[in-house]
Amino acid sequence: MSVVTLSHVKRAYDRTWAVNDISLTAPEAQVLALLGPSGSGKSTILRLIAGLEAVDVGEIRIGDELVSTPDRTLATEARRVGMVFQDFALFPHLNAGANVAFGLDKLGRAERDATALKWLDRVGLRHRVSAYPHELSGGEQQRVALARALAPAPRAVLLDEPFSGLDPVLRAELRDATLATLMEARTTTVFVTHDAEDALQVADRLAILKAGKLLQEGTPRQAYDRPASVDAAAALGPVNGFSGHAAHGAVATPFGAIAAPHLADGAKADVAVRAEALLLTPGAGARVLSVRPHGAHDVVRIEAQGFVWRALAPARSAFGETVSVEIQPAGAFAFSS
Ligand code: ADP
């Protein structure tokens, strides 16, 4: 395993930067998640690391080895990275064992079979060694693909939306199983997802992307608790927005004030308040528009001065027609605009 480093990497399609000056490190033996909406450049970054595309600007290193510059793209096979891409399906004519053994051609037959079986065992599919892909469920196919990617001891493994297309229960199970396998393998991992929950649950470090730009990089805790911008805050969960002005170290919103000691008096400010940071209690101040169940919480839409915000309240809280709103500082952020 090795560190993967991108330095000022750019890649254009049709004269637009799909990846625009990205500098990023995937630390050794950790999981780096690239999180962003569709079109933010995540898959392109993965393809650049895999050597399936060339960089226009900047460079990529795997360990100490320079693998991509604008003048030279080391071939994918020579990079020794494992890939689990949505469109890199299993070989349909090979059983699970043979799929995992596929990249182990440097080993003798017996050692190859033993290694394949070891990796199938690690993903919990030893008993399915003779099954063909069409006999496996979607989740099992993904686990075989992960075993196939990890078996040759790659320097890093790249996962592109590995859980998409699976139902929510299976998705959470597969996510936990994948994380356990990656932790056991201690492989440097770059993991692409548009799902904040997946990223928060799996990543050691998060890179939040939008339109080819890096909005923020850090641990899930840092990114959640200290977002760098409204967009970075919104990438990790539902937020309420408001634009106003700073006065006396705070920004007033229709639902209460938010501390902004870093903003000068009169400065324009954009505010982001996480839905769970709104504490609703019986009283006046905001009108309750609707209460809808959402797992352990209810989503409560509240209105004040013509603005509508969403709050997450404990399920089955009894609210009247109005509530008093307290904004909890841990989930409320003000940025200069
Ligand atoms: P994501 O993985 O975040 O959905 P992509 O990396 O796939 O984003 O795409 C980033 C941008 O680059 C998008 O605007 C997409 O349309 C464009 N793009 C990606 N691949 C190609 C390609 N092969 N040709 C032209 N445009 C592309």
Side-chain angles (χ1 to χ4, degrees), residues 33-37 40 42 191 193-196 199 206-209 235-236:
L34 307 181
L35 173 69
S40 56
K42 308 180 297 292
F191 162 69
T193 181
H194 66 273
D195 186 286
L206 271 183
I208 303 175
L209 298 158
L236 294 180

Side-chain angles (χ1 to χ4, degrees), residues 204-223:
D204 295 303
R205 298 196 73 82
L206 271 183
I208 303 175
L209 298 158
K210 187 178 180 187
K213 289 270 195 188
L214 183 63
L215 296 182
Q216 185 163 9
E217 197 273 334
T219 65
R221 185 86 269 155
Q222 285 165 349

Side-chain angles (χ1 to χ4, degrees), residues 46-193:
L46 225 51
R47 291 200 302 271
L48 291 169
I49 297 172
L52 298 168
E53 313 233 357
V55 301
D56 292 323
V57 178
E59 58 183 48
I60 300 176
R61 282 172 197 273
I62 300 178
D64 295 333
E65 188 182 11
L66 194 53
V67 294
S68 293
T69 67
D71 301 327
R72 181 170 169 270
T73 305
L74 182 69
T76 300
E77 312 77 70
R79 293 191 178 214
R80 296 204 290 117
V81 294
M83 292 183 261
V84 183
F85 285 8
Q86 269 175 285
D87 50 356
F88 268 65
L90 299 175
F91 304 115
H93 59 290
L94 297 180
N95 67 25
N99 262 283
V100 178
F102 184 79
L104 303 172
D105 45 359
K106 292 196 187 68
L107 304 179
R109 177 75 196 263
E111 201 183 343
R112 202 168 68 187
D113 289 350
T115 305
L117 206 55
K118 180 184 86 179
W119 280 98
L120 277 178
D121 193 35
R122 283 199 180 175
V123 298
L125 288 176
R126 189 187 171 96
H127 61 294
R128 302 292 269 152
V129 59
S130 303
Y132 284 85
H134 73 271
E135 298 170 317
L136 299 169
S137 70
E140 287 175 332
Q141 289 184 33
Q142 275 295 13
R143 280 148 68 194
V144 174
L146 182 65
R148 183 177 67 178
L150 291 171
R155 295 195 287 184
V157 64
L158 312 175
L159 311 178
D160 194 357
E161 300 270 6
F163 315 129
S164 66
L166 299 171
D167 72 70
V169 176
L170 190 59
R171 186 187 180 97
E173 271 175 26
L174 184 65
R175 192 171 66 198
D176 292 350
T178 301
L179 182 59
T181 307
L182 291 171
M183 282 172 68
E184 199 183 347
R186 293 189 51 76
T187 303
T188 305
T189 301
V190 184
F191 162 69
V192 157
T193 181

Side-chain angles (χ1 to χ4, degrees), residues 278-282 286 288 300-302 311-313 319 323-326:
L278 295 171
L279 188 64
L280 309 182
T281 49
V288 175
V300 186
R301 286 170 61 244
I302 54 175
L312 281 179
F319 294 118
V323 282
S324 165
V325 182
E326 186 190 317

